[in-house]
Amino acid sequence: MDQNIKGEQISTKDFFLSVFKYFKFLGNNWQLLLVALIVGSIYDIINNTFLDSEDTYSGQITFHLELEGGGSQNQLGGFASAFGLGGGAGQAQGGSLLASSNFEAIILSGNVFHNAFMREVKIGNRKELFINYFIDSSDIKRKEWGGNLFRGPSPYSEYRFKKKDISEFTPYENQILADIYTKLYNVTRVEPDKNSSLISIFATTSNEKLTKDWIETLMGATEDFYRDMKTKKTKQILRVQEGRLDS
């Protein structure tokens, strides 16, 4: 029994000696470690910038706002008029949420993007949430989540979302959403034509079909946002009118 105790004491002593030698090694060779860190970082930057280049696909949707009204007015024309685009007597004021000056910010907002992520897209003979489709079809698995010399691949690439309200997302899901939002925000832009009622939405990804599907999905989410806002505004007006009638 005494031999076992002595053995355990020796093992513990050897362990602490090993730890001490390790930290002593780090202290004596910090310059070498610093150089290795710098070289690794430079390699990672060069690899991502030059060596890991690939084809990208850009797409755009340009549409003309139909503001004449009537049954022939398309959906885009309807919601664009509420943004105050194209002039006319019904043009919204700059301070309104749906004013033309806010059009770009609304489309690129987190709320509209997140709603777009939860929309379904058709992939072959099946439907899939856009966010899962994006994870599978974009280069985010190999780039942002691919890891490098100092960290392993992110587990985000294996996660599958289920359709639910944004308010129900977990902190873990919000972290994944933040990465995807940042990536798509940086490759998406909205350009209203100041001299006409034309508006263009541009996007660029590493997948041709993904670029097309993203632009269309984002437009659909914007339409949903407009419809919800108009419904809320109409209900508010009705409540005000009912209050006046009751008084």
Side-chain angles (χ1 to χ4, degrees):
M1 183 173 180
D2 291 339
Q3 291 180 349
N4 292 335
I5 294 175
K6 289 181 179 179
E8 291 178 359
Q9 290 175 344
I10 293 174
S11 299
T12 304
K13 183 179 179 180
D14 290 341
F15 170 76
F16 283 108
L17 285 174
S18 300
V19 172
F20 177 77
K21 289 180 180 179
Y22 174 75
F23 282 106
K24 184 178 180 180
F25 171 80
L26 293 180
N28 293 335
N29 298 275
W30 67 269
Q31 297 97 335
L32 180 62
L33 294 174
L34 180 61
V35 171
L37 179 63
I38 294 174
V39 171
S41 299
I42 293 175
Y43 170 80
D44 194 43
I45 293 173
I46 294 175
N47 182 62
N48 291 334
T49 305
F50 301 104
L51 304 180
D52 194 28
S53 61
E54 60 182 22
D55 293 335
T56 58
Y57 300 89
S58 299
Q60 74 177 82
I61 289 179
T62 301
F63 53 92
H64 178 269
L65 305 179
E66 301 290 345
L67 301 178
E68 293 79 14
S72 62
Q73 184 179 26
N74 62 27
Q75 218 169 9
L76 287 177
F79 81 76
S81 64
F83 282 93
L85 296 168
Q91 183 172 0
Q93 299 301 317
S96 171
L97 175 63
L98 300 182
S100 59
S101 59
N102 297 327
F103 189 84
E104 179 179 359
I106 288 174
I107 293 183
L108 299 178
S109 68
N111 187 40
V112 172
F113 267 51
H114 292 171
N115 285 329
F117 295 162
M118 289 292 105
R119 290 176 67 90
E120 290 184 334
V121 293
K122 190 172 183 180
I123 311 299
N125 295 324
R126 63 184 177 85
K127 289 185 176 181
E128 181 66 273
L129 291 182
F130 178 84
I131 191 168
N132 293 331
Y133 168 50
F134 178 81
I135 292 174
D136 293 337
S137 303
S138 71
D139 57 7
I140 195 170
K141 285 185 177 181
R142 293 182 290 102
K143 291 189 173 181
E144 285 82 355
W145 297 345
N148 52 38
L149 293 175
F150 306 102
R151 59 178 175 82
S154 171
Y156 293 170
S157 59
E158 303 301 325
Y159 191 80
R160 308 301 294 178
F161 282 84
K162 296 181 180 179
K163 189 174 182 61
K164 59 183 176 181
D165 191 81
I166 296 175
S167 61
E168 299 175 356
F169 289 158
T170 66
Y172 185 79
E173 289 173 328
N174 282 325
Q175 291 174 1
I176 302 175
L177 285 169
D179 282 358
I180 296 176
Y181 172 78
T182 299
K183 186 173 181 68
L184 281 172
Y185 180 88
N186 290 332
V187 298
T188 306
R189 73 181 194 273
V190 180
E191 293 185 2
D193 190 328
K194 297 180 180 179
N195 300 318
S196 70
S197 56
L198 294 176
I199 295 179
S200 297
I201 295 182
F202 301 84
T204 301
T205 75
S206 59
N207 183 308
E208 184 176 10
K209 185 177 186 304
L210 178 63
T211 298
K212 173 181 177 295
D213 291 339
W214 167 238
I215 294 176
E216 293 176 348
T217 301
L218 183 59
M219 289 299 300
T222 305
E223 289 181 346
D224 289 345
F225 175 85
Y226 162 78
R227 192 178 299 111
D228 291 342
M229 291 301 298
K230 290 296 290 182
T231 300
K232 291 178 181 178
K233 188 173 182 180
T234 300
K235 289 181 178 179
Q236 290 174 354
I237 293 174
L238 288 175
R239 284 196 295 267
V240 171
Q241 294 296 331
E242 290 173 355
R244 290 176 179 176
L245 290 174
D246 292 339
S247 60

